[in-house]
Amino acid sequence: MEYTGSSYEGDFHNGRMEGKGTYNFPTGTRYDGEMKDGTFHGKGTLFFPNGSKYEGEWENGIANKGKYTFADGLEYDDDEWLYCDGYDRRFYTEICNGLKPAGRSQLTNRVPPREIPEGCYDCGDGFYNPKTRVVVDYNHKFLRNADDDEHDWIVKTCRKGWDEIVGYQPKMDA
């Protein structure tokens, strides 16, 4: 674990993680639950740095079933997912608390929305700089380099950190 930056506190059997314990990843993600032969096995919960969590049952390190809960309390349901579908594009906080008055748009599920650095995009797990094609987390630590598909998706889809004039622009006489 010293090579990966991970740590573990809990039960051991024959020198391997086995029983109940807490496994900490270097990314800040934490697993609390049952282990067997050094892998997640049985009931456990993954807690993510953004406040979300995955409660599940694992078998030999593979999650067989479980439930993902977003940081704001929204639970993902694969069968009856009614949030942000083709008919209802409201944020979860708007569903819970109602829509804002006209002229006071809610740009993200986070209130107030996160400040995006100039020239960058908020891609959901951090900020993307299209000039360097690097994604950093919200603490500005490196996450990954974006490939062409991710770059195109971010530029087309994500909120940007600058204002842009849109709509009707009259022609100016020279």
Side-chain angles (χ1 to χ4, degrees):
M1 281 188 253
E2 65 184 86
Y3 299 111
T4 65
S6 300
S7 65
Y8 174 74
E9 290 182 27
D11 301 332
F12 285 89
H13 181 73
N14 292 331
R16 310 248 327 151
M17 297 177 289
E18 187 144 344
K20 293 192 179 199
T22 299
Y23 188 93
N24 295 293
F25 293 87
T27 60
T29 299
R30 182 182 88 240
Y31 172 81
D32 288 338
E34 299 171 350
M35 307 283 282
K36 181 180 177 188
D37 197 28
T39 64
F40 302 166
H41 190 87
K43 293 183 180 184
T45 304
L46 278 171
F47 295 94
F48 299 98
N50 66 1
S52 61
K53 65 181 179 179
Y54 180 83
E55 299 171 275
E57 291 185 24
W58 276 261
E59 187 172 333
N60 299 317
I62 298 171
N64 289 326
K65 65 179 182 175
K67 175 177 69 170
Y68 183 84
T69 305
F70 293 88
D72 60 9
L74 175 66
E75 293 180 359
Y76 178 72
D77 184 340
D78 197 28
D79 296 326
E80 295 187 35
W81 183 245
L82 302 175
Y83 169 69
C84 211
D85 61 15
Y87 302 103
D88 186 353
R89 302 296 295 169
R90 292 177 296 166
F91 292 108
Y92 183 62
T93 51
E94 292 175 316
I95 292 170
C96 293
N97 305 321
L99 296 172
K100 293 201 176 286
R104 299 187 65 192
S105 298
Q106 184 169 337
L107 300 174
T108 72
N109 197 46
R110 183 184 171 124
V111 179
R114 184 176 269 117
E115 288 283 329
I116 304 171
E118 182 75 24
C120 294
Y121 293 82
D122 182 344
C123 59
D125 60 348
F127 301 119
Y128 174 66
N129 183 330
K131 290 181 181 173
T132 61
R133 296 180 75 123
V134 168
V135 178
V136 296
D137 68 14
Y138 293 121
N139 295 315
H140 302 283
K141 293 181 182 173
F142 177 84
L143 286 178
R144 66 185 173 278
N145 292 310
D147 62 17
D148 290 340
D149 291 336
E150 185 176 23
H151 169 84
D152 292 344
W153 181 85
I154 291 172
V155 169
K156 177 182 164 193
T157 310
C158 296
R159 195 166 69 93
K160 54 186 172 272
W162 66 93
D163 290 329
E164 201 170 62
I165 298 173
V166 295
Y168 176 74
Q169 295 178 17
K171 290 185 180 181
M172 305 300 276
D173 292 331

